[in-house]
Amino acid sequence: MRSRTLSVAFGTAIMMGGAIFGAAPAQAAGCPADSLCLYNDTDYEGIEYDFRSRLGCITLNAVLNGQANDRASSLYNNTGLVQRLYQDYEEGGKYIKISPGQAYADLRSIGIWNADHSYAGVNTFNDRISSFCGSNS
């Protein structure tokens, strides 16, 4: 059960730098339009952090007093952008990609990419997201 929802609208000043497929699962349907939503628990449960869509990159320890950093266990991309979510600050380290409209109910077993963009295989990304970038591809 969601205990609270935190929203962040990102302006240009902050953007220094930038599974389940198909329709949104019913539980993630509460994610606002044009937002990337991260949830503390699997199956879109727990505290929800929703980030308004913009081209550019966000480091999670720099927003919401770091509350969303390394806490996501499920996510929903309700934006029109491809999102890359990284394990390190400032878009560093391994990452996962999520297309517009795509959701992952459980990040404990997911395809991961290396920093050099080679495929790393299936592993956990649970509680490992520290930054993300939205792009058109």
Side-chain angles (χ1 to χ4, degrees):
M1 195 171 274
R2 260 185 230 139
S3 56
R4 65 180 179 191
T5 300
L6 299 176
S7 297
V8 178
F10 292 107
T12 317
I14 294 177
M15 295 185 314
M16 295 298 196
I20 295 171
F21 298 93
Q27 299 90 334
C31 182
D34 298 321
S35 295
L36 173 68
C37 294
L38 308 177
Y39 301 86
N40 275 17
D41 299 325
T42 59
D43 298 319
Y44 321 104
E45 297 290 333
I47 297 171
E48 174 187 311
Y49 305 96
D50 55 89
F51 299 92
R52 300 290 183 228
S53 173
R54 296 278 194 281
L55 289 173
C57 300
I58 303 299
T59 295
L60 292 177
N61 72 341
V63 296
L64 300 172
N65 296 317
Q67 293 177 55
N69 186 56
D70 290 338
R71 302 233 175 123
S73 295
S74 56
L75 59 92
Y76 174 45
N77 182 5
N78 197 16
T79 76
L81 302 172
V82 173
Q83 301 288 339
R84 287 188 182 185
L85 299 103
Y86 297 87
Q87 74 177 13
D88 296 332
Y89 302 124
E90 298 177 359
E91 306 76 58
K94 294 180 180 179
Y95 66 92
I96 59 174
K97 291 190 291 190
I98 184 168
S99 298
Q102 190 175 12
Y104 290 109
D106 190 340
L107 295 176
R108 292 178 291 188
S109 181
I110 189 169
I112 298 173
W113 299 86
N114 290 310
D116 67 2
H117 306 294
S118 63
Y119 186 65
V122 175
N123 206 330
T124 186
F125 222 69
N126 190 54
D127 295 339
R128 293 189 179 176
I129 298 170
S130 292
S131 60
F132 65 89
C133 292
S135 69
N136 290 318
S137 59

